[in-house]
Amino acid sequence: SPWNFPLAIFSGQIFAALVSGNTVISKPAESTSIIAHYAINLMLECGVPKSVLHLVLGSGREISKYIIEDNRISGVCFTGSNETARSINMALASRNCGIAAFIAETGGQNAMIVDSSALLEQVCDSVIQSAFGSIGQRCSALRVLYVQEEVYDKLITLISGAMQELSIGNTNDFANDLGPVITESVKKELQKHVDFMASKGCEVIDVHKSARDKKNGSFFPPHIIKIKDIHDIGGEVFGPVLHVKTFKYEELGSIIDEINS
């Protein structure tokens, strides 16, 4: 199960398998082992037999090869990256036994198209919530915003102004809107992506430079990056980074084809 929904998806996958009559080995993301341990103990307290529900904690890379390659496994539920899903699929296919069910929810590039008829204040609220809420760490977060060129300047002014109003810090304090990203290594990957896009000549809007100096947390401020093509991004950027592209009204059809590709 993924670290960004450490209780909801973790529990949902387990209950779906249990009510279908299966024995379950649950392997949560390494970053969220404690909440998984707590959840499993609650399930056992509620009467789920210990013989049918098992928790395995540790590195996915080390553990998965022993579990997934075992011929007794009849199905796998997975939420995470495309790359990991492919490796699980290959491992299941290479076994010398019956074909296992494989249910995978993976990443992508969620897009929003804004034409000149849109109410820009409403668009701004939706963009801030979708791109930067939960610090962009949702599979459903907005990654690419297409804006008709006639309204681009006004919309970007609104969004960057709203970004400036967001406060970044420990979300135990309700005055803070955005918390940290999951790990320091994810923070470094996000910065690497921003730096790479800037080196390619993309315009970068970063209104929270002071957030980099925050101690005791992997805080990464929201960014906007102007791109020429969705394929410039390379892959899903899992954090508070919004890519923006302008389009002419007559290009709407090709924009939809670009997203679908």
Side-chain angles (χ1 to χ4, degrees):
S1 65
W3 51 259
N4 61 333
F5 282 90
L7 185 60
I9 291 179
F10 177 73
S11 302
Q13 289 175 337
I14 290 170
F15 294 146
L18 287 176
V19 300
S20 305
N22 298 286
T23 296
V24 176
I25 300 171
S26 57
K27 161 66 184 82
E30 196 176 353
S31 309
T32 49
S33 297
I34 293 173
I35 192 168
H37 184 266
Y38 182 78
I40 290 290
N41 282 334
L42 286 178
M43 294 175 197
L44 297 176
E45 281 179 34
C46 290
V48 176
K50 287 185 178 179
S51 58
V52 302
L53 178 57
H54 311 277
L55 176 67
V56 180
L57 300 177
S59 161
R61 195 161 288 168
E62 293 175 10
I63 291 169
S64 293
K65 60 185 177 183
Y66 296 107
I67 297 177
I68 293 168
E69 293 176 11
D70 192 299
N71 288 351
R72 292 169 293 179
I73 295 294
S74 60
V76 175
C77 294
F78 170 76
T79 302
S81 70
N82 290 314
E83 183 185 8
T84 304
R86 274 193 291 270
S87 68
I88 292 171
N89 197 32
M90 294 298 291
L92 289 172
S94 67
R95 302 180 315 160
N96 187 24
C97 61
I99 297 171
F102 181 35
I103 302 166
E105 181 208 344
T106 56
Q109 301 289 11
N110 287 335
M112 179 191 291
I113 299 173
V114 179
D115 72 8
S116 59
S117 70
L119 179 61
L120 297 187
E121 290 82 3
Q122 186 177 0
V123 171
C124 178
D125 287 346
S126 297
V127 166
I128 293 292
Q129 183 180 356
S130 185
F132 305 133
S134 302
I135 203 72
Q137 297 182 136
R138 290 172 176 265
C139 301
S140 55
L142 175 62
R143 306 287 179 211
V144 189
L145 178 66
Y146 289 87
V147 184
Q148 191 172 329
E149 58 184 16
E150 287 84 351
V151 295
Y152 174 79
D153 289 339
K154 185 176 180 185
L155 181 58
I156 291 302
T157 299
L158 284 171
I159 294 172
S160 56
M163 284 166 61
Q164 236 164 339
E165 294 302 310
L166 297 170
S167 76
I168 302 169
N170 189 330
T171 47
N172 284 339
D173 180 353
F174 288 170
N176 290 321
D177 303 295
L178 306 178
V181 293
I182 185 70
T183 61
E184 194 64 30
S185 62
V186 166
K187 176 183 173 181
K188 287 176 181 171
E189 284 300 310
L190 290 168
Q191 188 59 55
K192 193 168 150 187
H193 172 72
V194 170
D195 293 343
F196 174 69
M197 297 301 278
S199 73
K200 286 173 63 175
C202 296
E203 180 188 351
V204 176
I205 298 173
D206 172 12
V207 297
H208 271 286
K209 290 182 170 44
S210 60
R212 301 183 200 292
D213 305 323
K214 284 185 178 291
K215 307 298 181 188
N216 303 320
S218 47
F219 295 100
F220 189 82
H223 285 70
I224 293 175
I225 301 175
K226 191 173 181 184
I227 60 171
K228 292 176 182 170
D229 188 284
I230 197 170
H231 299 100
D232 292 344
I233 304 170
E236 187 176 24
V237 181
F238 214 73
V241 179
L242 175 65
H243 305 87
V244 183
K245 176 182 173 178
T246 60
F247 69 92
K248 299 180 190 299
Y249 179 74
E250 58 271 19
E251 296 173 333
L252 187 56
S254 62
I255 288 298
I256 293 170
D257 290 339
E258 182 179 303
I259 294 166
N260 287 337
S261 73

